[in-house]
Amino acid sequence: MAERKTERLMNLIFALLVSRQYLTKEQIRESIADYRESTPQAFERKFERDKEELREMGINVEMGSIDKYFNDEPGYRIRRDEAELPDLELTREEAAVIGLATQVWEHAGLASESTTALVKLKAIGVDVDTSVLRMAEPKLSTDEPSFDAMWDAVTRRVPVTFTYTRLGQEPMQRHLQPWGIVSWHDRWYVGGLDLDRGESRLFRLSRITGDVTPDGSAGSYDIPEGIDMKDVARELFPAPPQEAAVLRIRAGRGLGLRRLAEKITPVGDDVDEVEIRYSSRWELASEVASYGPDVVVISPPDVRDTVVQRLRAAVNGQLDPA
């Protein structure tokens, strides 16, 4: 289906680009097989969608009168001076980077696009030599079913909705304005504005179940200027644990903390001393406080004080139950 749509768009571009005059809808329908095989109603829908998609890609479809002296049916064309790009000049290194893209992507759809770009470069006389990079040849693979839909949403700035399932939690419907896709620690993520939380978020593509559905029109939001998905990933992912804390946990309790333990030592009949590492004092204090009297912080003092503060706030009803 995607290949047929791409072929139809290309045929539409060629038809409107080579014509010396405006083409009527009927002339356009007769010249393109996919339009010709559609019902009149289906043709109208396809043609309107295709015109809009071309405009999103920066190709302006101009509408005008076929005969300026008569009020006849309007026609369509693409002006060559607006559609054609100036001569492309790349340095040897820049051309090599583009050529290397054909070797990097194992994903079928992106491999096809990068190969097409390489063929076009060679056609206009750009010499592509990847050997000048002198680096190990990388490989990127994408097995997530949602990758194609998310990639399309990012490139066209289309808000989306999808079902997201985190480990140990019920599936949730999420709404996102996607900014970009990033590979982080060997996993693919889509990042953007989480409309349900009102702030930036990353979603692992492998946790998206079912279809990714458009939730608005293309180009309906702006991506923040200067956004770098690697920076977003660094901000949203917790830093690696650096500090160590010693806790005393009642036997059979605090299982979540026990799973993080580097060392567990029995210190009584029903108490274990547990050593864990943490990156955020506030997150650790919240986790410890949630176990009430079953967990006590021995060190460091700042974590212990934070737990006491949270417990006192809870007693005084100052903490949000959520």
Side-chain angles (χ1 to χ4, degrees):
M1 183 65 72
E3 291 180 0
R4 185 171 183 177
K5 177 184 175 182
T6 301
E7 181 181 358
R8 186 177 72 240
L9 285 174
M10 292 300 298
N11 287 336
L12 178 59
I13 291 172
F14 292 146
L16 298 180
L17 193 60
V18 301
S19 177
R20 295 179 177 274
Q21 60 182 9
Y22 293 101
L23 296 180
T24 66
K25 283 186 179 180
E26 190 58 34
Q27 289 173 321
I28 294 171
R29 185 183 179 191
E30 286 300 316
S31 64
I32 298 175
D34 198 6
Y35 289 155
R36 195 166 55 247
E37 296 166 1
S38 304
T39 64
Q41 295 79 10
F43 160 66
E44 289 287 344
R45 291 194 298 269
K46 287 181 182 179
F47 183 56
E48 292 303 317
R49 285 198 302 266
D50 291 347
K51 281 194 302 177
E52 186 60 33
E53 190 154 341
L54 291 181
R55 290 188 178 111
E56 290 171 12
M57 296 187 317
I59 302 175
N60 182 44
V61 179
E62 183 183 87
M63 185 172 67
S65 177
I66 296 173
D67 191 329
K68 61 183 179 180
Y69 297 108
F70 295 92
N71 187 23
D72 52 10
E73 181 184 355
Y76 303 87
R77 72 175 181 181
I78 296 174
R79 295 175 58 96
R80 294 183 68 93
D81 57 343
E82 293 181 358
E84 291 181 344
L85 294 174
D87 292 339
L88 184 63
E89 295 183 4
L90 298 176
T91 66
R92 191 164 176 245
E93 289 76 14
E94 290 170 337
V97 170
I98 296 176
L100 188 62
T102 63
Q103 303 171 30
V104 172
W105 284 106
E106 293 179 344
H107 182 275
L110 295 175
S112 175
E113 292 179 7
S114 58
T115 301
T116 301
L118 180 60
V119 170
K120 290 181 178 179
L121 284 174
K122 291 183 176 180
I124 62 174
V126 176
D127 181 32
V128 178
D129 181 9
T130 58
S131 65
V132 300
L133 294 177
R134 301 188 183 281
M135 62 172 66
E137 183 178 311
K139 287 291 182 184
L140 296 175
S141 60
T142 54
D143 300 322
E144 292 81 356
S146 60
F147 186 92
D148 283 338
M150 278 300 183
W151 181 271
D152 182 66
V154 167
T155 55
R156 299 175 57 214
R157 288 186 292 127
V158 177
V160 294
T161 180
F162 52 88
T163 302
Y164 193 70
T165 307
R166 299 187 66 176
L167 229 55
Q169 297 184 12
E170 292 295 319
M172 295 181 62
Q173 195 71 19
R174 309 306 295 266
H175 301 79
L176 181 72
Q177 291 180 351
W179 297 341
I181 292 179
V182 63
S183 176
W184 188 256
H185 295 173
D186 298 324
R187 301 183 189 277
W188 284 101
Y189 297 84
V190 60
L193 177 61
D194 182 348
L195 298 177
D196 300 301
R197 305 292 173 85
E199 55 188 16
S200 57
R201 280 285 190 273
L202 283 183
F203 296 93
R204 190 192 298 182
L205 294 187
S206 61
R207 291 179 177 170
I208 295 176
T209 56
D211 295 332
V212 175
T213 307
D215 196 34
S217 57
S220 58
Y221 63 91
D222 293 322
I223 298 175
E225 188 175 351
I227 196 72
D228 186 323
M229 294 310 301
K230 290 287 187 182
D231 292 338
V232 173
R234 292 187 189 99
E235 291 176 3
L236 297 182
F237 278 94
Q242 300 292 336
E243 306 295 330
V246 177
L247 317 173
R248 288 194 175 178
I249 305 177
R250 186 171 296 170
R253 305 291 184 177
L255 298 181
L257 292 169
R258 290 175 182 272
R259 283 195 291 268
L260 301 174
E262 292 187 337
K263 184 179 179 182
I264 300 178
T265 306
V267 294
D269 293 338
D270 63 345
V271 176
D272 297 323
E273 191 166 274
V274 175
E275 182 176 330
I276 66 174
R277 292 200 168 270
Y278 65 96
S279 57
S280 168
R281 169 166 55 99
W282 300 102
E283 290 183 6
L284 177 60
S286 297
E287 178 75 6
V288 170
S290 69
Y291 292 103
D294 293 326
V295 182
V296 176
V297 179
I298 304 301
S299 66
D302 60 344
V303 174
R304 181 185 177 89
D305 292 343
T306 304
V307 172
V308 171
Q309 290 172 10
R310 293 190 67 82
L311 290 174
R312 284 177 175 164
V315 169
N316 295 328
Q318 296 174 357
L319 285 182
D320 184 346

